[in-house]
Amino acid sequence: MLTKGDNRHYFRMMVNADVKLMINDPETGRVIDGICRDLSASGMSIEVDEPLEMGTLIRVRLDSANASIPPLDASAKVMRCSQESEDIYQLGLAFMELN
């Protein structure tokens, strides 16, 4: 829920879904598995097991459990990366484009 001190423009929906992050670097072609923890119209929060630098451009894919609902496929930018525990990092992603 948005509160008076919250700067978000959209409500966040709590989600616990597997996601794939493709790093926009043609040389490495890295894919990172993560867990989407929450989702809004402008971005998402994802748990991963390695840090990513702020400003990193990625493509994110969240498959749907229902065949009649298309997967979420978006270009995004890492806006925040914080270490939650020894092997867990929380990424804040801003959607640049929904594909």
Side-chain angles (χ1 to χ4, degrees):
M1 176 178 241
L2 295 177
T3 62
K4 189 174 184 176
D6 200 336
N7 291 327
R8 292 185 174 104
H9 297 285
Y10 300 100
F11 289 102
R12 291 204 168 259
M13 177 175 61
M14 295 301 170
V15 179
N16 285 307
D18 294 333
V19 294
K20 294 237 182 261
L21 305 175
M22 286 74 65
I23 309 298
N24 285 357
D25 182 354
E27 292 181 15
T28 62
R30 273 188 346 175
V31 176
I32 299 171
D33 293 319
I35 300 171
C36 177
R37 294 298 183 195
D38 65 55
L39 176 67
S40 79
S42 63
M44 61 176 31
S45 176
I46 297 177
E47 262 183 27
V48 293
D49 60 5
E50 63 182 272
L52 290 178
E53 290 185 31
M54 286 179 48
T56 300
L57 298 177
I58 62 169
R59 186 160 182 178
V60 62
R61 182 176 176 95
L62 189 153
D63 287 324
S64 173
N66 185 328
S68 64
I69 299 173
L72 172 71
D73 185 8
S75 299
K77 183 178 187 178
V78 176
M79 303 303 288
R80 172 179 52 80
C81 179
S82 59
Q83 188 168 7
E84 299 295 310
S85 66
E86 187 176 331
D87 294 330
I88 305 271
Y89 296 86
Q90 191 83 23
L91 302 178
L93 305 180
F95 294 141
M96 308 300 285
E97 181 179 356
L98 296 174
N99 304 317

